[in-house]
Amino acid sequence: MKTLVKSVAVLAVVLAAVVGALAMFAPVNVPWAGALADLFPRLFDAPRAERAVVASTLQVPAGYSITLFAADVPDARMVRVTPTGDLLVTANRNSEVVWLAADRDGDGESDSRRVLIEGLKGANGLEVAGGYLYVAEDERVFRIAFDANTASVWGAREVIIDGLPAGGNHWRKPIRIGPDGLLYLVVGSTCNVCIERDVRRAAMLRYTVDGKFVDIYATGLRNSAGFDFRESDDALFATDNGRDLLGDDFPPCELNEIRAGGFYGWPFANGNRIADPDLGGGRADVIAASIPPVFEFRAHNAPLGIRFLRSEAHGAYRGAAVAALHGSWNRSTKDGYKVVSLHWQADGAIESRDFVTGFLTDGKVIGRPAEVTEDADGNVYVSDDYADAVYRISPGGTAMALVVPSEAVVAFNPRPGADPARLIEGQALFDAGACLGCHSVGGETGDGRLSLAGIGKKYDFATLTEYLAHPNSPMPSVPEEGERLALAEYLLAL
């Protein structure tokens, strides 16, 4: 009886903690039922465990070829090319920056790889400049001496920016050094729609390359995960993800031309100055003063990385921008899941064309493009944090087939040495989060929910715990270490 009472008390404490976390991180003015369903809407960016082996031909425009440049790069996200043509990739699931050697033997694949930096905390932003590698983590930016010729770093990590707003729905910190020699950094919103307490949230900031704060360059940017400067005029453009929970087709995701001091609408306006139904009322003057997007992507396409093509090898595509559409997690019919090229017309209009397709076939997803970059020869690199891959798109040739491995479904089975108390607490967290509204714990149910079986094929205890601290959007981070440990223990038993 004492044991039962103690267990009930523990579950009550856990439930209270979950409710407290929801109160802190859930979107403002969104029904609680939706907030609960959104707590863990999609734990893992991984191919569905039930799919067996999935093969798909990724299609590129005539005059281009595509190859699988590197596989098994866990949670491959930010990509940057070094001065010697090699590639740096953040593998956030392993808390690492991975160095991928350029393809010098001509087989379309990276010649070799190694871990360049490890032990990171939510790394995403990368930049190489002035003999340094800059790395943006959840709360800070550091730089470390980097020799591109030997692909090595040395010396201490010099923290140049600290105390950045951490956690929340959009915790990643993309960075880039601009033509003015300043370091540009984006801090996303904590939520779906809310009024932020920290003015650095939903904004683009500028610093010197030594980390001295310069200014808040632009505001009203909900989740501008990618940005680049156009070579012809140094104009700055950034993608932005529109808010959720307003239906399949609204609001659009955005491409914005970023100007100093500009306000881009969020959370009061969506798209072309359309008042937000939750927070836009009574703010007509603020909305009228906001800067509308220069281009609208389809709703929930989730544009992330963007790159203006600079090499003459691209011919008619030179000067166009390529943008990675991560795809729609909350749309009744999936959309996005491709790379597009954006072409500016003489009248200023922007035309979107498919650049890489095939990640979504008959409603089934085999990949999610995340970030893009380009080397001096015009090779375009696309990271895929769903299939743990990096692709290379090169001028000339024909498309090649790519195969994404599957994962097996296993029955509930706690790992050796699993803590029984953690399993109980983890199940309470799972149940309190209403996770079964979006997930199943067995095989395919036929109702569209994603299976969590076989998670141990993708994560071990340490990497899953780390993932819960810095998950992919739109899932907010799990702030308490004890809760992360418990939830990871339970999920690994599925």
Side-chain angles (χ1 to χ4, degrees), residues 210-235:
D210 298 323
K212 181 180 178 181
F213 178 74
V214 175
D215 58 13
I216 296 178
Y217 191 67
T219 58
L221 301 167
R222 178 179 177 272
N223 180 25
S224 288
F227 58 96
D228 193 20
F229 296 86
R230 185 164 58 190
E231 185 182 30
S232 60
D233 57 5
D234 293 339

Side-chain angles (χ1 to χ4, degrees), residues 187-254:
V187 181
S189 69
T190 60
C191 59
N192 179 38
V193 57
C194 64
I195 297 176
E196 299 285 2
R197 298 178 181 178
D198 192 324
V199 295
R200 297 173 297 172
R201 281 285 189 176
M204 179 178 286
L205 317 178
R206 289 198 302 180
Y207 297 82
T208 68
V209 292
D210 298 323
K212 181 180 178 181
F213 178 74
V214 175
D215 58 13
I216 296 178
Y217 191 67
T219 58
L221 301 167
R222 178 179 177 272
N223 180 25
S224 288
F227 58 96
D228 193 20
F229 296 86
R230 185 164 58 190
E231 185 182 30
S232 60
D233 57 5
D234 293 339
L236 173 57
F237 293 85
T239 60
D240 198 22
N241 287 199
R243 63 161 290 185
D244 300 313
L245 305 178
L246 293 180
D248 278 2
D249 300 313
F250 185 82
C253 292
E254 301 177 1

Side-chain angles (χ1 to χ4, degrees), residues 309-325:
L309 300 179
R310 291 159 168 81
S311 173
E312 293 183 359
H314 292 292
Y317 278 76
R318 185 171 186 260
V322 289
L325 306 187

Side-chain angles (χ1 to χ4, degrees), residues 132-410:
Y132 289 102
L133 169 59
Y134 291 77
V135 181
E137 298 180 280
D138 191 7
E139 298 182 61
R140 66 180 192 170
V141 178
F142 71 84
R143 66 182 183 182
I144 189 168
F146 173 63
D147 186 341
N149 293 306
T150 60
S152 60
V153 295
W154 71 91
R157 301 176 186 180
E158 178 189 0
V159 177
I160 61 170
I161 304 171
D162 207 354
L164 291 169
N169 286 35
H170 309 118
W171 53 268
R172 299 177 191 271
K173 307 293 189 296
I175 59 173
R176 189 179 289 275
I177 294 176
D180 55 6
L182 297 178
L183 188 151
Y184 290 70
L185 180 150
V186 168
V187 181
S189 69
T190 60
C191 59
N192 179 38
V193 57
C194 64
I195 297 176
E196 299 285 2
R197 298 178 181 178
D198 192 324
V199 295
R200 297 173 297 172
R201 281 285 189 176
M204 179 178 286
L205 317 178
R206 289 198 302 180
Y207 297 82
T208 68
V209 292
D210 298 323
K212 181 180 178 181
F213 178 74
V214 175
D215 58 13
I216 296 178
Y217 191 67
T219 58
L221 301 167
R222 178 179 177 272
N223 180 25
S224 288
F227 58 96
D228 193 20
F229 296 86
R230 185 164 58 190
E231 185 182 30
S232 60
D233 57 5
D234 293 339
L236 173 57
F237 293 85
T239 60
D240 198 22
N241 287 199
R243 63 161 290 185
D244 300 313
L245 305 178
L246 293 180
D248 278 2
D249 300 313
F250 185 82
C253 292
E254 301 177 1
L255 178 69
N256 292 300
E257 183 175 356
I258 306 300
R259 308 169 194 164
F263 170 66
Y264 291 85
W266 187 89
F268 307 122
N270 302 290
N272 190 7
R273 297 178 175 143
I274 298 174
D276 186 85
D278 293 318
L279 295 180
R283 294 184 170 91
D285 292 345
V286 174
I287 293 172
S290 67
I291 301 174
V294 295
F295 179 79
E296 294 182 353
F297 299 94
R298 286 168 60 87
H300 313 304
N301 274 196
L304 299 182
I306 186 171
R307 166 76 180 191
F308 282 93
L309 300 179
R310 291 159 168 81
S311 173
E312 293 183 359
H314 292 292
Y317 278 76
R318 185 171 186 260
V322 289
L325 306 187
H326 204 222
S328 53
W329 65 267
N330 64 339
R331 202 172 183 277
S332 60
T333 301
K334 295 181 177 67
D335 197 15
Y337 304 97
K338 60 184 176 180
V339 181
V340 297
S341 58
L342 303 174
H343 303 258
W344 273 251
Q345 308 300 304
D347 62 358
I350 299 173
E351 176 191 359
S352 176
R353 306 175 191 168
D354 287 347
F355 192 71
V356 186
T357 59
F359 297 104
L360 175 64
T361 303
D362 297 328
K364 294 184 177 180
V365 177
I366 68 163
R368 300 188 74 184
E371 302 291 341
V372 292
T373 192
E374 176 196 22
D375 67 18
D377 295 324
N379 297 303
V380 177
Y381 297 89
V382 177
S383 64
D384 180 344
D385 61 1
Y386 194 80
D388 297 342
V390 178
Y391 313 106
R392 189 183 76 175
I393 299 92
S394 303
T398 57
M400 297 178 63
L402 300 175
V403 178
V404 179
S406 68
E407 298 172 29
V409 178
V410 297

